[in-house]
Amino acid sequence: MLHILVYGDSLSWGIIPNTRRRLGFGERWPGVMGRALVDSGHAVRVIEDCLNGRRTAWDDPFKPGRNALDGIEQRMEINSPLALVILMLGSNDFQSVHEHNAWQSGQGLAAVIRAMRRAPIEPAMPAPPILVVAPPPITTPVGKPIWEKFEGAPARSERVAEFYAAIAEEMECRFFDAGRVVSTSPHDGIHLDADHHAMLGGALATPVAALLASPLEA
C-alpha cells in the first residue's frame, strides 16, 4: 500500500462555494484521484491534510494555525513512509490582509518545500517526490465575506502558475497547472464546484500514476 499526502487548503478540503458545507470524500478531488488510481490497479491510500485558509508561509491575523510551515515537518514524519506529496496551496496568499504578489507566493511555496525536505523521517525511509499543483486563477470574488476577503486578489495572483512552475523546476519537483483543467466557481470566484473537483481528480490520476510507477525518477 502506497501513501500519498495531499497538503492543501479549502480548494482541496472541498468547501462548497458560497456555503460552509463540505463535499464528501468521494466528491473531492483527492478522493476522485484516489479512486481512479485504485481502479487502474494501484494500491494507494490518499491522506488529506487540508485546512481552510491555509497560506504558504504566512500567518492569518484572525485565525491561528493557517501558516503551512506550522508543523509540516512533523506531518511528514507522522505519515511516513510516503510515496508522494501533492502540494496545492497559494490562493489564500492573496487575501486582502496581505499585499503579496505572485512572485512572493512562489517564495512561500519554496519555503514549504524546503521544510518538507527537512522532515526527520526515519533513515531507512525515502524522501518522497513532491508534485506542486498551482491552483486555478482567482476570478471575480463573489458574496460575503469572500468579496472583502479577496478584494484585489485576481490581479495580484494572475501569474502564480508561472512562478510556481519556476519554483518546481528549480527545486526538482514535478508541476501541474490546475488552471489548464479547471476554473474557479462562478458562485464565489475562489473555490471549485463539484464537477471541477471530478475533472481535477481525474486529470491528476495520470501524472500521479506515472510518479508512483517510477518514484526514483520523480
Side-chain angles (χ1 to χ4, degrees):
M1 177 73 70
L2 299 176
H3 293 81
I4 300 170
L5 176 65
V6 176
Y7 195 62
D9 55 24
S10 57
L11 275 74
S12 303
W13 188 85
I15 196 166
I16 300 172
N18 249 347
T19 78
R20 302 311 301 174
R21 300 192 306 275
R22 186 184 192 185
L23 294 169
F25 177 73
E27 300 173 287
R28 304 193 289 269
W29 73 257
V32 173
M33 180 192 70
R35 173 49 57 190
L37 290 167
V38 169
D39 289 347
S40 64
H42 296 274
V44 300
R45 174 173 174 254
V46 176
I47 304 165
E48 294 180 310
D49 191 325
C50 306
L51 178 66
N52 293 339
R54 181 179 275 158
R55 287 96 158 114
T56 57
W58 292 279
D59 295 326
D60 183 332
F62 308 123
K63 292 182 179 179
R66 264 59 183 178
N67 187 326
L69 295 173
D70 292 344
I72 182 55
E73 296 173 48
Q74 288 72 37
R75 286 176 167 89
M76 296 287 291
E77 185 179 11
I78 288 165
N79 292 298
S80 291
L82 290 166
L84 177 67
V85 175
I86 302 177
L87 179 58
M88 183 173 168
L89 289 169
S91 297
N92 291 298
D93 289 0
F94 305 104
Q95 287 195 23
S96 57
V97 295
H98 307 297
E99 296 183 357
H100 305 139
N101 58 31
W103 179 86
Q104 290 166 323
S105 182
Q107 297 307 300
L109 175 76
V112 176
I113 294 169
R114 286 192 293 268
M116 287 180 164
R117 289 178 172 163
R118 288 196 301 266
I121 57 178
E122 295 299 319
M125 296 181 181
I130 297 171
L131 173 61
V132 172
V133 179
I138 296 171
T139 53
T140 303
V142 177
K144 290 183 175 290
I146 291 294
W147 188 90
E148 291 87 351
K149 188 180 287 187
F150 286 92
E151 184 179 4
R156 290 187 290 114
S157 66
E158 62 182 357
R159 297 178 64 195
V160 72
E162 173 189 341
F163 287 108
Y164 276 32
I167 290 295
E169 181 177 10
E170 176 186 335
M171 304 190 75
E172 299 183 335
C173 300
R174 293 298 177 91
F175 177 74
F176 186 94
D177 182 2
R180 294 185 178 274
V181 178
V182 297
S183 57
T184 58
S185 172
H187 299 294
D188 70 5
I190 307 296
H191 300 105
L192 302 177
D193 288 323
D195 58 338
H196 283 237
H197 272 273
M199 292 164 61
L200 180 57
L204 279 167
T206 298
V208 167
L211 284 168
L212 296 178
S214 56
L216 293 180
E217 288 77 45

Short mmCIF file of all heavy atoms in Angstrom, two decimals, residues 132-191:
data_model
loop_
_atom_site.label_atom_id
_atom_site.label_comp_id
_atom_site.label_asym_id
_atom_site.label_seq_id
_atom_site.Cartn_x
_atom_site.Cartn_y
_atom_site.Cartn_z
N VAL A 132 3.90 19.72 -7.22
CA VAL A 132 3.33 21.04 -6.98
C VAL A 132 2.15 21.25 -7.93
O VAL A 132 2.30 21.11 -9.15
CB VAL A 132 4.38 22.15 -7.21
CG1 VAL A 132 3.73 23.53 -7.16
CG2 VAL A 132 5.49 22.04 -6.19
N VAL A 133 1.00 21.57 -7.37
CA VAL A 133 -0.19 21.87 -8.18
C VAL A 133 -0.53 23.34 -7.98
O VAL A 133 -0.86 23.76 -6.87
CB VAL A 133 -1.39 20.98 -7.79
CG1 VAL A 133 -2.61 21.34 -8.63
CG2 VAL A 133 -1.04 19.50 -7.94
N ALA A 134 -0.41 24.12 -9.05
CA ALA A 134 -0.81 25.53 -8.97
C ALA A 134 -2.33 25.61 -9.01
O ALA A 134 -2.97 24.98 -9.86
CB ALA A 134 -0.22 26.31 -10.14
N PRO A 135 -2.94 26.37 -8.10
CA PRO A 135 -4.41 26.48 -8.12
C PRO A 135 -4.88 27.24 -9.34
O PRO A 135 -4.11 28.00 -9.95
CB PRO A 135 -4.70 27.26 -6.83
CG PRO A 135 -3.47 28.07 -6.59
CD PRO A 135 -2.32 27.21 -7.06
N PRO A 136 -6.14 27.06 -9.74
CA PRO A 136 -6.65 27.83 -10.87
C PRO A 136 -6.70 29.32 -10.53
O PRO A 136 -6.80 29.69 -9.35
CB PRO A 136 -8.06 27.26 -11.08
CG PRO A 136 -8.45 26.70 -9.75
CD PRO A 136 -7.17 26.19 -9.15
N PRO A 137 -6.61 30.18 -11.53
CA PRO A 137 -6.61 31.62 -11.25
C PRO A 137 -7.87 32.07 -10.51
O PRO A 137 -8.98 31.59 -10.79
CB PRO A 137 -6.56 32.24 -12.65
CG PRO A 137 -5.97 31.19 -13.52
CD PRO A 137 -6.44 29.88 -12.96
N ILE A 138 -7.68 32.97 -9.57
CA ILE A 138 -8.81 33.59 -8.88
C ILE A 138 -9.53 34.50 -9.86
O ILE A 138 -8.91 35.29 -10.56
CB ILE A 138 -8.32 34.38 -7.65
CG1 ILE A 138 -7.69 33.43 -6.62
CG2 ILE A 138 -9.47 35.17 -7.01
CD1 ILE A 138 -7.00 34.13 -5.48
N THR A 139 -10.84 34.35 -9.93
CA THR A 139 -11.64 35.23 -10.79
C THR A 139 -12.33 36.26 -9.90
O THR A 139 -11.83 36.57 -8.82
CB THR A 139 -12.62 34.41 -11.63
OG1 THR A 139 -13.40 33.55 -10.77
CG2 THR A 139 -11.86 33.54 -12.64
N THR A 140 -13.43 36.81 -10.31
CA THR A 140 -14.08 37.87 -9.52
C THR A 140 -14.65 37.31 -8.22
O THR A 140 -15.53 36.44 -8.27
CB THR A 140 -15.21 38.53 -10.34
OG1 THR A 140 -14.67 39.03 -11.56
CG2 THR A 140 -15.84 39.66 -9.54
N PRO A 141 -14.16 37.75 -7.06
CA PRO A 141 -14.73 37.27 -5.80
C PRO A 141 -16.20 37.69 -5.67
O PRO A 141 -16.55 38.83 -5.96
CB PRO A 141 -13.86 37.95 -4.73
CG PRO A 141 -12.61 38.35 -5.45
CD PRO A 141 -13.03 38.67 -6.84
N VAL A 142 -17.02 36.76 -5.22
CA VAL A 142 -18.47 36.98 -5.15
C VAL A 142 -18.98 36.60 -3.76
O VAL A 142 -18.59 35.56 -3.21
CB VAL A 142 -19.21 36.15 -6.23
CG1 VAL A 142 -20.73 36.34 -6.09
CG2 VAL A 142 -18.75 36.55 -7.62
N GLY A 143 -19.86 37.40 -3.21
CA GLY A 143 -20.52 37.06 -1.96
C GLY A 143 -19.75 37.54 -0.74
O GLY A 143 -18.58 37.88 -0.80
N LYS A 144 -20.45 37.57 0.38
CA LYS A 144 -19.86 37.97 1.66
C LYS A 144 -19.50 36.73 2.46
O LYS A 144 -20.30 35.78 2.50
CB LYS A 144 -20.84 38.84 2.45
CG LYS A 144 -21.05 40.23 1.85
CD LYS A 144 -21.97 41.05 2.72
CE LYS A 144 -22.09 42.47 2.21
NZ LYS A 144 -20.85 43.24 2.39
N PRO A 145 -18.32 36.68 3.09
CA PRO A 145 -17.29 37.73 3.12
C PRO A 145 -16.23 37.55 2.03
O PRO A 145 -15.15 38.15 2.13
CB PRO A 145 -16.68 37.54 4.50
CG PRO A 145 -16.70 36.04 4.67
CD PRO A 145 -17.99 35.58 4.02
N ILE A 146 -16.50 36.71 1.02
CA ILE A 146 -15.48 36.40 0.02
C ILE A 146 -15.01 37.67 -0.70
O ILE A 146 -13.80 37.86 -0.92
CB ILE A 146 -16.01 35.38 -1.01
CG1 ILE A 146 -16.19 34.01 -0.33
CG2 ILE A 146 -15.06 35.25 -2.20
CD1 ILE A 146 -14.90 33.35 0.12
N TRP A 147 -15.94 38.57 -1.06
CA TRP A 147 -15.52 39.75 -1.82
C TRP A 147 -14.54 40.58 -1.00
O TRP A 147 -13.49 40.99 -1.51
CB TRP A 147 -16.74 40.60 -2.20
CG TRP A 147 -16.36 41.71 -3.14
CD1 TRP A 147 -16.34 41.66 -4.50
CD2 TRP A 147 -15.91 43.02 -2.77
NE1 TRP A 147 -15.90 42.86 -5.02
CE2 TRP A 147 -15.63 43.72 -3.98
CE3 TRP A 147 -15.71 43.68 -1.56
CZ2 TRP A 147 -15.16 45.03 -3.99
CZ3 TRP A 147 -15.23 44.98 -1.57
CH2 TRP A 147 -14.97 45.65 -2.79
N GLU A 148 -14.87 40.83 0.26
CA GLU A 148 -13.99 41.64 1.10
C GLU A 148 -12.67 40.90 1.37
O GLU A 148 -11.59 41.50 1.36
CB GLU A 148 -14.66 41.95 2.44
CG GLU A 148 -15.84 42.90 2.33
CD GLU A 148 -17.16 42.19 2.05
OE1 GLU A 148 -17.13 40.96 1.77
OE2 GLU A 148 -18.21 42.86 2.11
N LYS A 149 -12.76 39.60 1.57
CA LYS A 149 -11.58 38.82 1.93
C LYS A 149 -10.57 38.73 0.80
O LYS A 149 -9.35 38.68 1.03
CB LYS A 149 -12.02 37.41 2.36
CG LYS A 149 -10.91 36.56 2.94
CD LYS A 149 -11.40 35.19 3.33
CE LYS A 149 -12.25 35.25 4.58
NZ LYS A 149 -12.61 33.89 5.08
N PHE A 150 -11.06 38.73 -0.45
CA PHE A 150 -10.18 38.56 -1.61
C PHE A 150 -10.19 39.77 -2.54
O PHE A 150 -9.87 39.65 -3.72
CB PHE A 150 -10.57 37.29 -2.38
CG PHE A 150 -10.16 36.02 -1.69
CD1 PHE A 150 -11.04 35.37 -0.83
CD2 PHE A 150 -8.90 35.47 -1.89
CE1 PHE A 150 -10.68 34.20 -0.18
CE2 PHE A 150 -8.52 34.31 -1.24
CZ PHE A 150 -9.41 33.67 -0.39
N GLU A 151 -10.53 40.94 -2.00
CA GLU A 151 -10.51 42.15 -2.82
C GLU A 151 -9.11 42.36 -3.42
O GLU A 151 -8.11 42.34 -2.71
CB GLU A 151 -10.91 43.36 -1.98
CG GLU A 151 -11.01 44.65 -2.78
CD GLU A 151 -11.42 45.83 -1.92
OE1 GLU A 151 -11.56 45.65 -0.68
OE2 GLU A 151 -11.63 46.93 -2.48
N GLY A 152 -9.03 42.54 -4.72
CA GLY A 152 -7.75 42.77 -5.40
C GLY A 152 -6.97 41.51 -5.73
O GLY A 152 -5.92 41.58 -6.38
N ALA A 153 -7.46 40.35 -5.31
CA ALA A 153 -6.71 39.11 -5.49
C ALA A 153 -6.52 38.70 -6.96
O ALA A 153 -5.44 38.20 -7.31
CB ALA A 153 -7.37 37.97 -4.72
N PRO A 154 -7.52 38.85 -7.84
CA PRO A 154 -7.31 38.39 -9.22
C PRO A 154 -6.08 39.01 -9.88
O PRO A 154 -5.28 38.30 -10.51
CB PRO A 154 -8.61 38.81 -9.92
CG PRO A 154 -9.64 38.78 -8.83
CD PRO A 154 -8.92 39.29 -7.62
N ALA A 155 -5.89 40.30 -9.75
CA ALA A 155 -4.75 40.96 -10.40
C ALA A 155 -3.43 40.53 -9.76
O ALA A 155 -2.43 40.31 -10.46
CB ALA A 155 -4.91 42.47 -10.32
N ARG A 156 -3.39 40.40 -8.43
CA ARG A 156 -2.14 40.08 -7.76
C ARG A 156 -1.72 38.62 -7.96
O ARG A 156 -0.55 38.28 -7.84
CB ARG A 156 -2.23 40.41 -6.26
CG ARG A 156 -2.27 41.91 -6.00
CD ARG A 156 -2.20 42.26 -4.53
NE ARG A 156 -3.43 41.89 -3.82
CZ ARG A 156 -3.50 40.95 -2.88
NH1 ARG A 156 -2.42 40.27 -2.54
NH2 ARG A 156 -4.64 40.68 -2.29
N SER A 157 -2.68 37.76 -8.27
CA SER A 157 -2.39 36.33 -8.36
C SER A 157 -2.28 35.80 -9.78
O SER A 157 -2.01 34.61 -9.97
CB SER A 157 -3.50 35.55 -7.64
OG SER A 157 -4.75 35.70 -8.32
N GLU A 158 -2.45 36.66 -10.79
CA GLU A 158 -2.63 36.14 -12.13
C GLU A 158 -1.40 35.41 -12.69
O GLU A 158 -1.54 34.58 -13.59
CB GLU A 158 -3.04 37.26 -13.09
CG GLU A 158 -2.02 38.38 -13.25
CD GLU A 158 -2.53 39.48 -14.17
OE1 GLU A 158 -3.63 39.33 -14.72
OE2 GLU A 158 -1.82 40.49 -14.34
N ARG A 159 -0.20 35.64 -12.16
CA ARG A 159 1.00 34.95 -12.66
C ARG A 159 1.46 33.83 -11.73
O ARG A 159 2.59 33.35 -11.84
CB ARG A 159 2.12 35.97 -12.86
CG ARG A 159 1.82 37.02 -13.90
CD ARG A 159 2.96 38.03 -14.02
NE ARG A 159 4.19 37.41 -14.50
CZ ARG A 159 5.40 37.99 -14.43
NH1 ARG A 159 5.52 39.19 -13.89
NH2 ARG A 159 6.47 37.36 -14.89
N VAL A 160 0.58 33.38 -10.85
CA VAL A 160 1.02 32.41 -9.85
C VAL A 160 1.48 31.09 -10.49
O VAL A 160 2.48 30.50 -10.06
CB VAL A 160 -0.08 32.17 -8.79
CG1 VAL A 160 -1.25 31.37 -9.34
CG2 VAL A 160 0.51 31.50 -7.55
N ALA A 161 0.81 30.61 -11.53
CA ALA A 161 1.22 29.36 -12.16
C ALA A 161 2.62 29.48 -12.76
O ALA A 161 3.43 28.56 -12.68
CB ALA A 161 0.21 28.95 -13.23
N GLU A 162 2.91 30.63 -13.33
CA GLU A 162 4.24 30.88 -13.92
C GLU A 162 5.33 30.78 -12.85
O GLU A 162 6.35 30.11 -13.05
CB GLU A 162 4.24 32.26 -14.56
CG GLU A 162 5.60 32.73 -15.06
CD GLU A 162 5.59 34.18 -15.49
OE1 GLU A 162 4.49 34.75 -15.75
OE2 GLU A 162 6.69 34.77 -15.54
N PHE A 163 5.12 31.44 -11.73
CA PHE A 163 6.15 31.43 -10.68
C PHE A 163 6.22 30.08 -9.97
O PHE A 163 7.31 29.63 -9.58
CB PHE A 163 5.89 32.56 -9.68
CG PHE A 163 6.24 33.92 -10.25
CD1 PHE A 163 5.25 34.82 -10.57
CD2 PHE A 163 7.56 34.27 -10.47
CE1 PHE A 163 5.55 36.07 -11.09
CE2 PHE A 163 7.88 35.52 -11.00
CZ PHE A 163 6.88 36.43 -11.32
N TYR A 164 5.09 29.41 -9.81
CA TYR A 164 5.09 28.08 -9.20
C TYR A 164 5.83 27.09 -10.08
O TYR A 164 6.57 26.22 -9.59
CB TYR A 164 3.67 27.62 -8.91
CG TYR A 164 3.10 28.14 -7.62
CD1 TYR A 164 3.47 29.37 -7.10
CD2 TYR A 164 2.17 27.39 -6.90
CE1 TYR A 164 2.94 29.85 -5.91
CE2 TYR A 164 1.64 27.85 -5.71
CZ TYR A 164 2.03 29.08 -5.22
OH TYR A 164 1.50 29.54 -4.03
N ALA A 165 5.62 27.18 -11.38
CA ALA A 165 6.32 26.29 -12.31
C ALA A 165 7.83 26.50 -12.21
O ALA A 165 8.62 25.54 -12.23
CB ALA A 165 5.85 26.52 -13.74
N ALA A 166 8.24 27.76 -12.10
CA ALA A 166 9.68 28.06 -11.99
C ALA A 166 10.26 27.50 -10.70
O ALA A 166 11.37 26.95 -10.69
CB ALA A 166 9.90 29.56 -12.08
N ILE A 167 9.53 27.65 -9.59
CA ILE A 167 10.00 27.10 -8.31
C ILE A 167 10.08 25.58 -8.38
O ILE A 167 11.04 24.97 -7.90
CB ILE A 167 9.08 27.55 -7.16
CG1 ILE A 167 9.23 29.06 -6.89
CG2 ILE A 167 9.36 26.74 -5.89
CD1 ILE A 167 10.60 29.47 -6.39
N ALA A 168 9.07 24.95 -8.97
CA ALA A 168 9.07 23.49 -9.08
C ALA A 168 10.29 23.01 -9.87
O ALA A 168 10.96 22.04 -9.49
CB ALA A 168 7.78 23.01 -9.73
N GLU A 169 10.58 23.68 -10.97
CA GLU A 169 11.74 23.29 -11.77
C GLU A 169 13.04 23.50 -10.99
O GLU A 169 13.91 22.62 -10.97
CB GLU A 169 11.77 24.09 -13.06
CG GLU A 169 12.93 23.73 -13.97
CD GLU A 169 12.93 24.47 -15.28
OE1 GLU A 169 12.13 25.42 -15.44
OE2 GLU A 169 13.72 24.11 -16.17
N GLU A 170 13.15 24.64 -10.34
CA GLU A 170 14.36 24.96 -9.59
C GLU A 170 14.61 23.96 -8.47
O GLU A 170 15.75 23.59 -8.19
CB GLU A 170 14.24 26.37 -9.02
CG GLU A 170 15.38 26.81 -8.13
CD GLU A 170 15.12 28.17 -7.50
OE1 GLU A 170 14.34 28.97 -8.07
OE2 GLU A 170 15.69 28.43 -6.42
N MET A 171 13.52 23.51 -7.83
CA MET A 171 13.65 22.64 -6.67
C MET A 171 13.42 21.17 -7.00
O MET A 171 13.26 20.33 -6.12
CB MET A 171 12.70 23.12 -5.56
CG MET A 171 12.94 24.57 -5.17
SD MET A 171 12.06 25.10 -3.69
CE MET A 171 13.03 24.29 -2.40
N GLU A 172 13.40 20.87 -8.29
CA GLU A 172 13.30 19.50 -8.78
C GLU A 172 12.05 18.79 -8.27
O GLU A 172 12.09 17.66 -7.80
CB GLU A 172 14.57 18.71 -8.43
CG GLU A 172 15.82 19.31 -9.05
CD GLU A 172 17.09 18.51 -8.77
OE1 GLU A 172 17.12 17.79 -7.74
OE2 GLU A 172 18.02 18.60 -9.56
N CYS A 173 10.93 19.49 -8.38
CA CYS A 173 9.62 18.93 -8.11
C CYS A 173 8.88 18.77 -9.44
O CYS A 173 9.22 19.43 -10.43
CB CYS A 173 8.79 19.84 -7.20
SG CYS A 173 9.52 20.16 -5.58
N ARG A 174 7.89 17.94 -9.46
CA ARG A 174 7.00 17.88 -10.62
C ARG A 174 5.97 19.00 -10.50
O ARG A 174 5.67 19.48 -9.39
CB ARG A 174 6.33 16.51 -10.71
CG ARG A 174 7.32 15.38 -11.02
CD ARG A 174 7.98 15.58 -12.37
NE ARG A 174 8.97 14.55 -12.64
CZ ARG A 174 8.71 13.40 -13.28
NH1 ARG A 174 7.48 13.15 -13.68
NH2 ARG A 174 9.65 12.52 -13.49
N PHE A 175 5.38 19.38 -11.62
CA PHE A 175 4.46 20.52 -11.63
C PHE A 175 3.23 20.19 -12.46
O PHE A 175 3.30 19.53 -13.50
CB PHE A 175 5.15 21.76 -12.22
CG PHE A 175 4.24 22.95 -12.34
CD1 PHE A 175 3.87 23.67 -11.23
CD2 PHE A 175 3.73 23.33 -13.58
CE1 PHE A 175 3.01 24.76 -11.32
CE2 PHE A 175 2.89 24.42 -13.70
CZ PHE A 175 2.52 25.13 -12.56
N PHE A 176 2.09 20.69 -11.95
CA PHE A 176 0.81 20.54 -12.66
C PHE A 176 0.04 21.84 -12.49
O PHE A 176 -0.14 22.31 -11.36
CB PHE A 176 0.01 19.37 -12.07
CG PHE A 176 -1.26 19.05 -12.83
CD1 PHE A 176 -1.26 18.08 -13.82
CD2 PHE A 176 -2.45 19.70 -12.53
CE1 PHE A 176 -2.43 17.77 -14.51
CE2 PHE A 176 -3.61 19.41 -13.21
CZ PHE A 176 -3.59 18.43 -14.21
N ASP A 177 -0.42 22.40 -13.59
CA ASP A 177 -1.19 23.64 -13.56
C ASP A 177 -2.68 23.31 -13.59
O ASP A 177 -3.23 22.96 -14.64
CB ASP A 177 -0.81 24.51 -14.76
CG ASP A 177 -1.53 25.86 -14.78
OD1 ASP A 177 -2.29 26.13 -13.84
OD2 ASP A 177 -1.31 26.62 -15.75
N ALA A 178 -3.34 23.42 -12.43
CA ALA A 178 -4.77 23.08 -12.37
C ALA A 178 -5.60 24.00 -13.24
O ALA A 178 -6.67 23.61 -13.71
CB ALA A 178 -5.25 23.16 -10.92
N GLY A 179 -5.10 25.22 -13.48
CA GLY A 179 -5.84 26.17 -14.30
C GLY A 179 -5.98 25.75 -15.75
O GLY A 179 -6.81 26.30 -16.48
N ARG A 180 -5.20 24.77 -16.19
CA ARG A 180 -5.35 24.24 -17.55
C ARG A 180 -6.48 23.22 -17.65
O ARG A 180 -6.84 22.80 -18.75
CB ARG A 180 -4.04 23.62 -18.02
CG ARG A 180 -2.90 24.63 -18.19
CD ARG A 180 -1.66 23.99 -18.78
NE ARG A 180 -0.60 24.97 -18.99
CZ ARG A 180 -0.49 25.71 -20.09
NH1 ARG A 180 -1.36 25.59 -21.07
NH2 ARG A 180 0.51 26.58 -20.20
N VAL A 181 -7.00 22.82 -16.49
CA VAL A 181 -8.02 21.77 -16.45
C VAL A 181 -9.34 22.29 -15.90
O VAL A 181 -10.42 21.92 -16.38
CB VAL A 181 -7.53 20.58 -15.60
CG1 VAL A 181 -8.60 19.50 -15.52
CG2 VAL A 181 -6.24 20.01 -16.16
N VAL A 182 -9.26 23.14 -14.86
CA VAL A 182 -10.47 23.61 -14.17
C VAL A 182 -10.40 25.11 -13.99
O VAL A 182 -9.35 25.74 -14.13
CB VAL A 182 -10.64 22.92 -12.80
CG1 VAL A 182 -10.82 21.42 -12.96
CG2 VAL A 182 -9.46 23.22 -11.89
N SER A 183 -11.54 25.68 -13.62
CA SER A 183 -11.63 27.09 -13.27
C SER A 183 -12.39 27.24 -11.97
O SER A 183 -13.09 26.32 -11.53
CB SER A 183 -12.32 27.89 -14.39
OG SER A 183 -13.60 27.36 -14.64
N THR A 184 -12.25 28.39 -11.34
CA THR A 184 -12.94 28.62 -10.08
C THR A 184 -14.43 28.78 -10.31
O THR A 184 -14.89 29.12 -11.40
CB THR A 184 -12.39 29.85 -9.36
OG1 THR A 184 -12.51 30.99 -10.22
CG2 THR A 184 -10.93 29.66 -9.00
N SER A 185 -15.18 28.55 -9.26
CA SER A 185 -16.63 28.59 -9.35
C SER A 185 -17.15 30.01 -9.60
O SER A 185 -16.68 30.97 -8.98
CB SER A 185 -17.24 28.08 -8.04
OG SER A 185 -18.64 28.29 -8.01
N PRO A 186 -18.14 30.17 -10.48
CA PRO A 186 -18.75 31.49 -10.66
C PRO A 186 -19.53 31.94 -9.42
O PRO A 186 -19.86 33.11 -9.30
CB PRO A 186 -19.68 31.29 -11.86
CG PRO A 186 -19.98 29.83 -11.88
CD PRO A 186 -18.72 29.16 -11.39
N HIS A 187 -19.76 31.00 -8.49
CA HIS A 187 -20.52 31.33 -7.29
C HIS A 187 -19.70 32.10 -6.26
O HIS A 187 -20.26 32.80 -5.42
CB HIS A 187 -21.09 30.07 -6.65
CG HIS A 187 -22.02 29.32 -7.54
ND1 HIS A 187 -23.24 29.81 -7.95
CD2 HIS A 187 -21.89 28.11 -8.14
CE1 HIS A 187 -23.83 28.94 -8.74
NE2 HIS A 187 -23.04 27.90 -8.88
N ASP A 188 -18.33 31.93 -6.30
CA ASP A 188 -17.53 32.73 -5.36
C ASP A 188 -16.18 33.17 -5.94
O ASP A 188 -15.50 33.99 -5.33
CB ASP A 188 -17.33 32.00 -4.02
CG ASP A 188 -16.44 30.78 -4.10
OD1 ASP A 188 -15.86 30.50 -5.17
OD2 ASP A 188 -16.30 30.08 -3.07
N GLY A 189 -15.77 32.64 -7.08
CA GLY A 189 -14.54 33.07 -7.72
C GLY A 189 -13.26 32.51 -7.12
O GLY A 189 -12.17 32.83 -7.59
N ILE A 190 -13.37 31.63 -6.11
CA ILE A 190 -12.20 31.13 -5.40
C ILE A 190 -12.13 29.61 -5.43
O ILE A 190 -11.08 29.03 -5.74
CB ILE A 190 -12.20 31.57 -3.91
CG1 ILE A 190 -12.38 33.09 -3.79
CG2 ILE A 190 -10.95 31.08 -3.20
CD1 ILE A 190 -11.24 33.90 -4.38
N HIS A 191 -13.25 28.96 -5.10
CA HIS A 191 -13.26 27.52 -4.88
C HIS A 191 -13.71 26.74 -6.11
O HIS A 191 -13.96 27.33 -7.16
CB HIS A 191 -14.15 27.20 -3.66
CG HIS A 191 -13.67 27.86 -2.41
ND1 HIS A 191 -14.31 28.96 -1.86
CD2 HIS A 191 -12.60 27.60 -1.62
CE1 HIS A 191 -13.66 29.34 -0.77
NE2 HIS A 191 -12.62 28.53 -0.61
#
